[in-house]
Structure formats: C-alpha cells, structure tokens
Amino acid sequence: MFSQLRYKRKMARIDPLASLYVDLNEFCIDEDLDTLKVYVKEDISPRQLQKMRNATDIFRSLEDKGLISKEDVSYLKELFEKMGKAKLVKMIEQYEKKYITTNVAAISSTKTVRATSSDRSEPVSTTGQPEQPPGRREPAPGVTDKIVRLMKRGLLNPK
C-alpha cells in the first residue's frame, strides 16, 4: 500500500492533473464515491463503474472519454459543485489558476487567427494587429519585452 501511494505521488510530480486526481481522491469518502458514480452513470457504463474502486479510476475514465483534460477540468468542477464539496471545488480552481489560466494566456498572446475585417483585406491576429507579412518573422517570445526594457533604461535607441 505504501509503495503504491509513493508511486502515485511520483507520477503526480510528473503530471499536474494526476496530482489533482490524487488530492481529490484523498478527500473522497466512500459516500462521495457512490454519489460521484451516480452523477457519471450517463458517461461511464455501469459495468465499468462496478470495477472502479476509487475516485481516481473515475477521473481517468472521464479523461479517456475526453470529458476532462489538462486544459479543461470544468466537468470535474461541475461534479463536485453538484455534490456540494466546496473544498474540492476550491482545489480544482487552484489547479485552473496555476496550470490553465497561464497556459491560455500564453497561447492566446501568440496565436493568430486567419480572418479578414470588413474594412481590410489583410489577415488580422487575435490582438487586432495586422499579421506579419510573409517574409518577416515574429521575434522570439520575450524579445520584444527585453527591447522595451532596454529602451526605457536608455540603453537602446530606436532609429
């Protein structure tokens, strides 16, 4: 039993979502597990649910079905909100703040969308700025910030 818990902790260090599963499982009592099974019975077959002995098994099954992912734990959050488990909902929200919000911000700041506005013919990025012309490259992430800081210090003068 101890080695199994140590293995779970080791895997949790590698994968933040697995860590969340382990933490949530530790706070689920048998009654919570039964309630959780009732709420997911439409998404997991009764035969599979009978084999599941802990909440982590349920979470993994939901992840395999695409209902939970590293980028979206809203389904999991909804389940515990329905169950009235505020402490567990808070744990999920902390995961979202730490791992999802920062990833979404990083992705949305660099991702561009091919769209044309009604008054322009060139593609526009998600920030509303025109997309770079085909021969120009975007600066590496963070380079623009470094240039701005150097300019503010007076160490770099724009031409």
Side-chain angles (χ1 to χ4, degrees), residues 28 31-46 49 52 58-59 62 65 67-68 75-85 88-89:
C28 284
E31 184 180 295
D32 295 335
L33 184 62
D34 293 337
T35 305
L36 194 59
K37 286 181 178 182
V38 169
Y39 282 123
V40 299
K41 68 182 177 186
E42 292 180 15
D43 301 312
I44 302 174
S45 72
L49 282 174
M52 297 182 182
I58 294 173
F59 304 148
L62 293 170
K65 294 182 181 298
L67 296 170
I68 301 173
Y75 183 84
L76 193 58
K77 187 175 169 182
E78 289 173 21
L79 287 174
F80 287 111
E81 284 173 345
K82 286 179 189 176
M83 292 171 62
K85 297 292 180 179
L88 302 182
V89 170

Side-chain angles (χ1 to χ4, degrees), residues 58-76:
I58 294 173
F59 304 148
R60 291 270 182 226
S61 180
L62 293 170
E63 186 178 2
D64 291 342
K65 294 182 181 298
L67 296 170
I68 301 173
S69 70
K70 291 179 183 181
E71 297 82 25
D72 184 14
V73 290
S74 59
Y75 183 84
L76 193 58

